[in-house]
């Protein structure tokens, strides 16, 4: 199988977890505390993945300068984009309660939520494709961590979309598009960046890591803390430990 196609399929696999989570969140009555706990676990998984897989890889390729610049740039770009989308109704896109506005409350918020959800998933997918540049083998740790974290993302957001009155076609249309775009972003991460210098690749990986960490702080952790504030830290640590073990086994 061509490596560019493999990169796209790995990204699609990780993105498909959003659909799995969306189905659970839309059709099952999942208590808010359970959704928040799963979100906290997914947050811990991503923190470990970007710490021990993405940032470490970026540092080995480009050192402190490229890694630091890329990390800060990723956070800044994500923050600027999400700040704009938040002003149009996407600030609660990962919340499972009644925080999401309906179209009647805020016209155009549905598009903003969809674009915001897409923005959240692109850095993760690019990181998967870039991880294949070195030797043609994907980082299974990155794929597993992103897959595990995508389930609670899709679950929480879809539960909130349903409570905001958004129809079934909208919910699954959004996550289906994002899953496909995740595969495309992973493909682009491999094909576009493999011809660049080690510093440029390192900066790209760090950009993805910075954007993921900013996304965690802005969207995932507020939902995790909302209903499980007494245990959110412990559940996050469990997620971190699970990904840490995957990292060491993968190494």
């Amino acid at each position: 199988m061509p490596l560019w196609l493999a990169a796209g399929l790995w990204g699609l696999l990780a993105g498909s977890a959003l659909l799995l989570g969306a189905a659970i969140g839309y059709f099952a009555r999942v208590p808010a505390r359970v959704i928040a706990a799963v979100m906290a676990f997914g947050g811990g998984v991503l923190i470990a993945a970007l710490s021990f897989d993405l940032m470490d890889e970026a540092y080995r390729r480009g050192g402190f300068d490229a890694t630091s610049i890329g990390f800060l740039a990723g956070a800044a770009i994500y923050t600027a984009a999400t700040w704009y989308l938040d002003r149009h109704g996407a600030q609660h896109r990962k919340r499972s309660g009644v925080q999401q506005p309906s179209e009647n409350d805020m016209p155009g918020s549905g598009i903003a939520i969809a674009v915001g959800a897409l923005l959240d998933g692109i850095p993760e997918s690019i990181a998967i494709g870039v991880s294949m540049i070195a030797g043609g083998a994907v980082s299974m740790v990155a794929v597993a961590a992103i897959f595990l974290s995508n389930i609670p993302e899709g679950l929480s957001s879809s539960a909130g979309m349903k409570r905001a009155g958004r129809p079934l076609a909208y919910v699954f249309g959004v996550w289906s598009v994002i899953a496909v775009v995740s595969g495309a972003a992973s493909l682009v991460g491999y094909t576009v960046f493999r011809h660049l210098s080690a510093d440029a690749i390192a900066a790209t990986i760090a950009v993805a890591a910075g954007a993921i960490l900013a996304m965690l702080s802005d969207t995932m952790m507020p939902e995790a803390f909302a209903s499980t504030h007494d245990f959110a830290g412990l559940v996050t640590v469990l997620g971190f430990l699970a990904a840490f073990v995957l990292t060491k086994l993968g190494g």
Side-chain angles (χ1 to χ4, degrees):
M1 180 184 297
L3 289 179
W4 61 267
L5 179 58
L9 291 176
W10 282 118
L12 181 62
L13 174 64
S16 67
L18 292 166
L19 283 169
L20 175 60
I24 297 172
Y26 197 90
F27 293 113
R29 287 184 172 272
V30 184
R33 289 180 67 87
V34 173
I35 294 176
V38 175
M39 188 68 83
F41 185 87
V45 167
L46 276 182
I47 291 171
L50 67 89
S51 299
F52 298 106
D53 195 54
L54 299 183
M55 288 297 285
D56 186 62
E57 176 68 16
Y59 172 72
R60 287 192 289 107
R61 287 177 177 272
F64 280 120
D65 52 353
T67 301
S68 299
I69 292 171
F71 192 61
L72 293 173
I77 292 169
Y78 177 88
T79 300
T82 199
W83 177 87
Y84 175 80
L85 291 170
D86 287 352
R87 298 302 180 274
H88 293 79
Q91 66 268 36
H92 297 303
R93 58 186 177 274
K94 291 252 188 332
R95 304 302 298 273
S96 61
V98 296
Q99 297 92 343
Q100 286 191 25
S102 67
E103 281 298 313
N104 291 331
D105 296 330
M106 184 177 291
S109 60
I111 295 176
I113 289 171
V115 175
L118 182 62
L119 174 68
D120 295 340
I122 288 177
E124 302 169 345
S125 303
I126 290 177
I128 291 175
V130 173
S131 74
M132 297 182 63
I133 291 175
V138 72
S139 170
M140 294 305 298
V141 175
V143 173
I146 293 168
F147 186 93
L148 288 174
S149 66
N150 276 344
I151 294 176
E153 285 190 52
L155 192 160
S156 179
S157 184
S158 295
M161 289 177 182
K162 183 179 180 180
R163 287 187 172 90
R166 304 194 189 282
L168 177 67
Y170 170 86
V171 175
F172 284 91
V174 166
W175 296 117
S176 297
V177 169
I178 293 174
V180 172
V181 173
S182 294
S186 183
L187 186 153
V188 169
Y190 174 76
T191 56
V192 172
F193 296 105
R194 67 192 181 99
H195 299 297
L196 302 181
S197 66
D199 282 348
I201 295 172
T204 301
I205 297 173
V207 164
I212 291 170
L213 186 55
M215 181 270 291
L216 284 170
S217 301
D218 287 348
T219 62
M220 287 186 71
M221 298 316 294
E223 172 66 13
F225 184 78
S227 299
T228 61
H229 52 272
D230 292 333
F231 301 100
L234 176 60
V235 178
T236 302
V237 168
L238 290 174
F240 183 96
L241 179 61
F244 175 75
V245 171
L246 283 176
T247 301
K248 295 308 177 185
L249 292 176

